[in-house]
Amino acid sequence: MTAPAPDPDATPTWAPLLQEVARSFALSVRVLPASVRWPVALGYLLARASDTIADSMDPQAATGSTTDLRRQALDELHRTIQAVAAGGTPPSALEITMRCLDGVPDAAECELLRRLPEGLMGLSKLNQRDRDLLARVCDTIISGQLLDLDRFRGAAATHHALDDEAQLDDYTWRVAGCVGLFWTDLAEAHVPAWRHADLMDMQNAGRRYGMGLQRLNLLRDCAQDLAQGRCYWPLTQLAQVSMDAPSLAHAVAMRDTALLARMAPCQSEWIHLIRTDLTLGLAYALAVRPWRLRLASALPALIGLRTLQMMESAGTMALAVPVKVPRTWVRGLLLRLSLGGLTPPGLRTLGRSLGVSGSIHLTERKDGTIST
């Protein structure tokens, strides 16, 4: 039995703001089945608000009172989400969070923070199962953002890096892998007969899919993160190419082609890992039955795979000059999907044209994990 459907009419009032803060993700939300559209949109907006608090305040002031304010605001938002999800009354204001507004330069993100009480009211109107799912995913995401604030405290002048791949996996799980699980559990609750694969396989694939998308974000946003003193390339990996966080930051800032060339093996490894996870995302979409949910599930993987192709063409200079998929290409993709590209053969052909090799389907290993 599926849970009662949430109010789909809540989404349109947030659609313009969602379009401003997440153009690509807004495409997926727009085509989702109505029964899951609002919980997904609300989950994204709450997570984006916490990310704005953690990451979008004055990038040159990542020390002292600014970091303390970020942490206090994240703690306040976290406590409030958990309280509202448990049946509490949504607040009319978030005192500490509102103090962050002056430090956020982006107008759309400021508007998002201002409208948080409205979003929390929307959370209170969901059924208990959806509130629990939203509370759980926000708890995990904010834990990753708080960990980042502590890890990179005072890093703007010194450049801190992750220690190893385990830390990177933990971070990508916390801020994005959990979203794939949330998406899967919402579909299970609201969309009848939505999958033709085992639920655990879908949950595991959703987790890896989200982690791959986040690693792609880190690769694409390398220059921006380094400018804030944050290096997500693990020290163990940098050491293999005789680099460290400060030298990478210098190479990116100066667009030093010789130094950047050292990063080619690291970049290639990341691209391979991301492509593997995005291929799993396509396999996830192929295991989905309703066309709306399949389209929403496939879009991030397809756009991500195109981004990887562009990065490969740009070489290591993509670390200094971020690539961005043109809107014209996305419009062409949507047209192709509407003309038969969403069928299993069509999606597989699209995947191969975007660099995927081998089969695209979920298979279960003896150890219980999944692969493509």
Side-chain angles (χ1 to χ4, degrees), residues 11-26:
T11 318
T13 63
W14 286 86
L17 183 57
L18 185 63
Q19 177 71 19
E20 286 295 317
V21 298
R23 185 170 285 109
S24 294
F25 189 74

Side-chain angles (χ1 to χ4, degrees), residues 80-114:
T80 306
I81 290 172
Q82 301 304 311
V84 172
T89 303
S92 58
L94 294 165
E95 180 183 353
I96 302 174
T97 302
M98 294 305 112
R99 283 164 50 196
C100 296
L101 288 174
D102 290 341
V104 178
D106 185 84
E109 292 184 338
C110 279
E111 178 65 13
L112 175 57
L113 293 188
R114 289 192 186 96

Side-chain angles (χ1 to χ4, degrees), residues 65-81:
S65 61
T66 303
T67 299
D68 291 338
L69 178 60
R70 289 173 172 178
R71 172 170 270 285
Q72 291 166 14
L74 281 175
D75 282 336
E76 177 185 62
L77 180 58
H78 176 254
R79 289 194 308 271
T80 306
I81 290 172

